[in-house]
Amino acid sequence: MSKKKEVFKPIRKGKVSMYVCGPTVYGLIHIGNARTFLTFDVLYRYLKYKGFAVKYVQNITDVGHLTDVGEDKIMVGAKKKNMNVFDFVNLMIEEYLKDLKSLNIEKPTFLPRASEHIQDIIDVVKKLIENGYAYESNGFVYYDISKFKNYGKLSGQNPEELQKKVEEEHGSRKNKGDFALWIPSPEDYPMKWESPWSIGFPGWHIECSTMSSKYLGIPFDIHGGGKDLIFPHHEDEIAQAEGATGKKFVNYWLHSEFIKINKKKMSKSLGNIISARDAVKKYGWRTIRYFLISSHYRKEVNFTEGEIENSQKAVDKLMDFVDRLKEIIPDSDYNSDFDKRIRILKKEFEDYMDDDLNVPQALSTTFKIVNETNKAIDEKTVSKKNLGEVLKLIKELDKVLGLKLDEKKQSEISDEAKKLIEERENLRKQKEFERADQIRNELEEKYGIILEDSPNGPRIKLKDKV
Ligand SMILES: [Zn+2]
């Protein structure tokens, strides 16, 4: 709201209430959506890391909304799949949850569905009419933006322009910028509910103010979403929630930037939309997760093969490092200076995260830990205890990054591949190197498993594919 960094002061000591606009469930989410959800996943994780009890709410828009061209994406999606619209939204919610899980995005505390809060929404609309902020017109209910004195404050829109009286095309509205709270349903439309004004469905904006207020109370601490939602969606959420209650809605607004594909906007017309699912399939979830969190959330991300490759290398390096920490048995005394240094780097990581969630810098600090520890291992200046502390720290930081760096790689390997690894070990012992090499190649090509032989047996590296 203030367009500058502010010191975060939670409303209730030790607690954070956070709301993020979730998906409209008409299809699979794309990597731009995934970036938004990952941004707030990292924030959610970091707030918990800092010891806050976080209540995190994300809505699910499972109620149809007519677009400017008069079509409803949910209806279109259901028709395409030849499904009943209610079954369709249920299926799409399941798919959404699968995508969250595939990227190791933690489930919010509550995921309320709009369709299950219609009565709550009607109550808020009634309140807005009562308070003089909304009016009925031919079965529609509109919000009268000229009545809300702070309208346009978040997005910097000119209220006078929005309040211009308009003629025919917006016939039933008083002002050009008035937006619908309730919409009468077309005849053939299956998703509709009784209301005092018409049989219809709620506008999109009202569902977010209603459900955030219901689950978090207002004001609440943090409201997030993609940058594209600032206007009109978030502007309208403020007008509705504050108009209905007379209280401040939200203390801090955070918006994540867009993603571009080879410097081009992702769009239907360019045919360059990449679904989160395809990206995960092609590049592996860790790589995609790393790639999408490694830029600052207020900076545009540019998706290129080169950038993805860099992310893959970074992830590999981190995973190899964790492996190495578990393997190496150093022969040196405990090094208290090294320990001190590691604690300084931990503080540095936190300082960057505290500074408006500076993940790129926090990651570079993580790599300082990796590089300095690797060097110390090579120079034999650290003890087992030192490395135990490093491993503990990396696991802690990984709770924020969400890369599952310590995951037993074994669990990702199929039984078939495990048998081959065993067979190869036996062949090696019998000095049948040619056949052993053949299996090693097969493992890499077919299963994405790279074997590196070490004195303690083969080290297994996975090409980050799932
Ligand atoms: Zn919303």
Side-chain angles (χ1 to χ4, degrees):
M1 185 72 85
S2 63
K3 311 283 186 285
K4 58 175 199 252
K5 285 189 232 179
E6 292 178 38
V7 175
F8 176 67
K9 293 188 196 108
I11 295 162
R12 287 162 288 265
K13 198 170 170 265
K15 292 182 177 166
V16 176
S17 44
M18 172 161 102
Y19 184 89
V20 171
C21 295
T24 300
V25 284
Y26 66 87
L28 297 178
I29 58 163
H30 58 63
I31 51 172
N33 307 130
R35 187 198 187 188
T36 301
F37 301 135
L38 278 165
T39 294
F40 293 100
D41 182 54
V42 171
L43 177 58
Y44 180 41
R45 286 163 173 273
Y46 186 61
L47 288 168
K48 289 195 287 182
Y49 170 96
K50 293 282 278 191
F52 289 103
V54 188
K55 203 191 249 186
Y56 174 18
V57 179
Q58 199 188 88
N59 66 306
I60 289 190
T61 303
D62 61 346
V63 168
H65 294 291
L66 298 171
T67 63
D68 294 341
V69 287
E71 72 177 17
D72 170 357
K73 287 176 175 171
I74 290 180
M75 287 286 286
V76 171
K79 236 178 236 165
K80 249 191 226 163
K81 279 207 179 285
N82 202 14
M83 280 176 85
N84 159 322
V85 72
F86 297 96
D87 293 340
F88 175 70
V89 294
N90 286 338
L91 173 71
M92 284 300 115
I93 291 170
E94 268 172 43
E95 298 296 339
Y96 173 61
L97 296 177
K98 263 188 218 162
D99 282 342
L100 290 190
K101 202 170 169 213
S102 81
L103 281 160
N104 198 26
I105 294 174
E106 288 187 0
K107 228 170 143 179
T109 326
F110 297 106
L111 280 160
R113 294 169 60 159
S115 67
E116 290 169 0
H117 294 79
I118 302 295
Q119 191 51 51
D120 296 316
I121 292 171
I122 289 174
D123 290 344
V124 176
V125 176
K126 277 186 190 161
K127 194 89 198 138
L128 283 168
I129 296 176
E130 244 173 72
N131 293 357
Y133 288 99
Y135 56 95
E136 198 229 319
S137 171
N138 300 326
F140 285 84
V141 179
Y142 290 111
Y143 192 100
D144 182 347
I145 59 163
S146 68
K147 295 279 162 62
F148 186 68
K149 72 174 190 333
N150 282 333
Y151 195 76
K153 203 177 158 198
L154 177 73
S155 56
Q157 299 278 319
N158 177 2
E160 279 164 33
E161 179 59 34
L162 295 165
Q163 283 166 27
K164 269 187 195 157
K165 304 276 183 222
V166 283
E167 282 111 62
E168 279 104 87
E169 74 266 35
H170 299 291
S172 53
R173 294 177 210 210
K174 288 186 188 166
N175 310 291
K176 191 177 171 184
D178 288 357
F179 56 91
L181 303 172
W182 189 264
I183 301 151
S185 163
E187 276 286 301
D188 60 344
Y189 197 72
M191 268 187 165
K192 54 190 166 192
W193 292 268
E194 295 270 359
S195 83
W197 315 288
S198 60
I199 294 177
F201 52 90
W204 170 39
H205 316 306
I206 192 73
E207 86 177 58
C208 279
S209 353
T210 303
M211 297 198 289
S212 56
S213 309
K214 175 169 178 164
Y215 286 86
L216 300 172
I218 71 170
F220 57 88
D221 293 306
I222 298 171
H223 193 315
K227 187 189 159 200
D228 51 324
L229 300 184
I230 297 174
F231 186 82
H233 187 56
H234 289 163
E235 200 69 73
D236 293 350
E237 281 188 40
I238 298 170
Q240 295 163 153
E242 299 191 356
T245 61
K247 284 196 272 182
K248 191 182 180 190
F249 181 38
V250 168
N251 281 353
Y252 304 94
W253 288 88
L254 275 80
H255 292 101
S256 62
E257 253 292 351
F258 295 136
I259 186 164
K260 285 196 170 158
I261 312 288
N262 295 315
K263 291 200 173 159
K264 286 200 184 95
K265 208 181 149 188
M266 204 165 39
S267 75
K268 226 178 181 177
S269 56
L270 287 172
N272 62 353
I273 296 178
I274 303 173
S275 72
R277 190 163 298 183
D278 283 348
V280 166
K281 228 180 249 167
K282 186 163 178 196
Y283 303 104
W285 75 267
R286 281 192 185 87
T287 300
I288 294 300
R289 183 175 171 103
Y290 185 96
F291 170 70
L292 291 174
I293 67 171
S294 61
S295 297
H296 192 264
Y297 74 93
R298 284 188 287 105
K299 292 229 168 70
E300 214 168 70
V301 169
N302 187 28
F303 186 102
T304 64
E305 288 287 333
E307 289 296 326
I308 292 290
E309 208 172 292
N310 289 339
S311 295
Q312 172 130 32
K313 278 184 197 148
V315 167
D316 277 350
K317 189 168 174 183
L318 291 172
M319 293 202 75
D320 285 350
F321 177 63
V322 171
D323 265 7
R324 191 175 189 202
L325 287 179
K326 291 184 200 161
E327 253 170 42
I328 302 284
I329 301 160
D331 45 10
S332 180
D333 295 333
Y334 174 69
N335 181 338
S336 64
D337 285 344
F338 178 84
D339 218 25
K340 216 194 240 161
R341 173 67 184 151
I342 291 298
R343 284 203 298 274
I344 288 169
L345 290 174
K346 179 185 184 210
K347 172 84 171 45
E348 189 179 291
F349 179 98
E350 291 173 3
D351 287 345
Y352 282 129
M353 291 299 283
D354 286 344
D355 183 12
D356 195 23
L357 219 57
N358 197 335
V359 179
Q361 285 299 332
L363 281 170
S364 81
T365 299
T366 309
F367 279 103
K368 271 191 208 165
I369 298 171
V370 172
N371 293 335
E372 291 182 25
T373 307
N374 273 333
K375 190 164 168 259
I377 294 171
D378 292 342
E379 289 170 353
K380 298 188 168 59
T381 55
V382 279
S383 73
K384 205 172 179 175
K385 186 173 172 228
N386 282 126
L387 296 182
E389 288 299 319
V390 176
L391 182 60
K392 211 170 99 194
L393 174 61
I394 290 283
K395 284 186 192 173
E396 228 178 296
L397 303 185
D398 191 30
K399 280 188 193 154
V400 179
L401 302 172
L403 293 165
K404 290 192 189 173
L405 296 172
D406 187 37
E407 190 172 73
K408 294 263 176 295
K409 289 179 180 180
Q410 303 291 349
S411 64
E412 292 180 16
I413 298 169
S414 69
D415 289 345
E416 242 172 299
K418 276 180 197 155
K419 259 184 214 152
L420 283 174
I421 293 168
E422 220 171 277
E423 193 184 329
R424 177 178 170 273
E425 268 309 285
N426 289 333
L427 288 166
R428 265 165 45 85
K429 278 179 200 148
Q430 292 154 26
K431 301 207 174 347
E432 296 215 31
F433 296 117
E434 204 174 314
R435 176 78 191 114
D437 283 350
Q438 273 172 10
I439 292 182
R440 180 192 183 131
N441 291 340
E442 191 184 336
L443 280 165
E444 180 165 353
E445 277 161 30
K446 214 167 144 190
Y447 300 94
I449 293 168
I450 301 163
L451 293 181
E452 279 172 7
D453 295 312
S454 83
N456 308 329
R459 265 174 74 180
I460 296 164
K461 278 179 68 176
L462 286 182
K463 284 185 183 171
D464 183 39
K465 292 266 153 51
V466 284

